Amino acid sequence: SLPICGIKRPVEALTDGIIAVAMTLLVIDLKLPDHAAIHTQAGLTSALFDLLPKVISWLMSFFVLAIFWISHHRMLHYVRSVDQGLLWRNIIQLALVSLMPFSSSIVGEYGGAFAAQAVYNGNMMALGFASLWKARYIRLHPELCHAPMPECAYHAPRPRIRGLILDRLLASAKRPWAHPYCPNSAYPLLFPARRARHPPQIRHTTP
């Protein structure tokens, strides 16, 4: 097996930083037209209404990233040290996180286009697969943990992530009768339907 590389603090710091930047960059597309192009209150109202698809894209993307951030910290709650396998799985997931502002911008601007939905949904599905991949690695390498990840902690997020992947596959199918932004309305399903169990507190000392 690969040697242990070190403590998890740098991994947490890098993950927090990249996700925070990605969540901030999502809002950049929410821009009104130039002041000279808006002369009346009706014009301002119309401009705000035209921003609605981008607002929907921003809102959904922001909370999806927040959910993946929470899931990441729940997984690392059990981790004591990291090895190269876990590092690279985390880096691959962060690469997909950094792509979110781009894919969100595309679907916000061209939500009615199949290509835009395919890019956005593909990004979401890849994030879901990466999260499952990382959780499985932690589960199969108890030597990296203070204590083995419990079955309930390992299986709790899987139905939601698998549901996201399935939903994105269905949303990517061309449905001419559907509103262009309807596929994104399924993201609230990611939120747990029941209160999640809190992971047990692990007492440990800093290496």
Side-chain angles (χ1 to χ4, degrees):
S1 60
L2 292 173
I4 292 177
C5 297
I7 59 177
K8 65 180 179 180
R9 287 180 183 174
V11 176
E12 292 177 313
L14 178 65
T15 302
D16 290 349
I18 290 179
I19 292 180
V21 170
M23 293 171 81
T24 303
L25 291 176
L26 290 171
V27 80
I28 287 180
D29 275 345
L30 300 183
K31 297 178 181 177
L32 284 172
D34 189 81
H35 186 270
I38 300 177
H39 305 286
T40 64
Q41 182 173 336
L44 176 60
T45 302
S46 177
L48 290 172
F49 184 78
D50 290 341
L51 280 176
L52 185 58
K54 293 182 179 181
V55 171
I56 295 173
S57 177
W58 160 74
L59 188 63
M60 293 299 177
S61 301
F62 186 91
F63 281 102
V64 166
L65 285 181
I67 290 169
F68 277 112
W69 177 79
I70 292 170
S71 175
H72 165 81
H73 278 281
R74 283 178 175 168
M75 283 189 278
L76 260 66
H77 173 81
Y78 301 97
V79 173
R80 171 180 53 87
S81 299
V82 296
D83 64 3
Q84 293 182 33
L86 182 55
L87 281 175
W88 279 110
R89 281 161 175 79
N90 195 66
I91 288 171
I92 290 171
Q93 187 175 27
L94 291 179
L96 297 168
V97 166
S98 70
L99 188 62
M100 272 299 302
F102 172 71
S103 59
S104 180
S105 176
I106 290 178
V107 82
E109 187 70 31
Y110 307 102
F114 174 72
Q117 289 288 343
V119 170
Y120 191 58
N121 296 333
N123 197 172
M124 290 294 96
M125 286 189 291
L127 269 173
F129 280 121
S131 183
L132 293 174
W133 190 34
K134 185 166 66 176
R136 178 176 173 80
Y137 188 85
I138 294 173
R139 175 68 176 166
L140 295 178
H141 291 80
E143 72 275 8
L144 301 178
C145 303
H146 299 284
M149 182 184 289
E151 288 286 338
C152 60
Y154 176 64
H155 290 290
R158 293 171 70 84
R160 293 194 298 275
I161 295 176
R162 287 172 175 171
L164 167 68
I165 294 170
L166 177 60
D167 176 73
R168 294 303 87 202
L169 284 170
L170 296 175
S172 295
K174 234 177 181 179
R175 295 181 291 177
W177 62 86
H179 189 276
Y181 298 98
C182 281
N184 297 338
S185 64
Y187 282 133
L189 296 175
L190 278 172
F191 291 96
R194 57 184 178 85
R195 191 174 181 180
R197 293 179 60 182
H198 294 286
Q201 296 298 317
I202 299 173
R203 295 183 180 180
H204 58 87
T205 57
T206 303

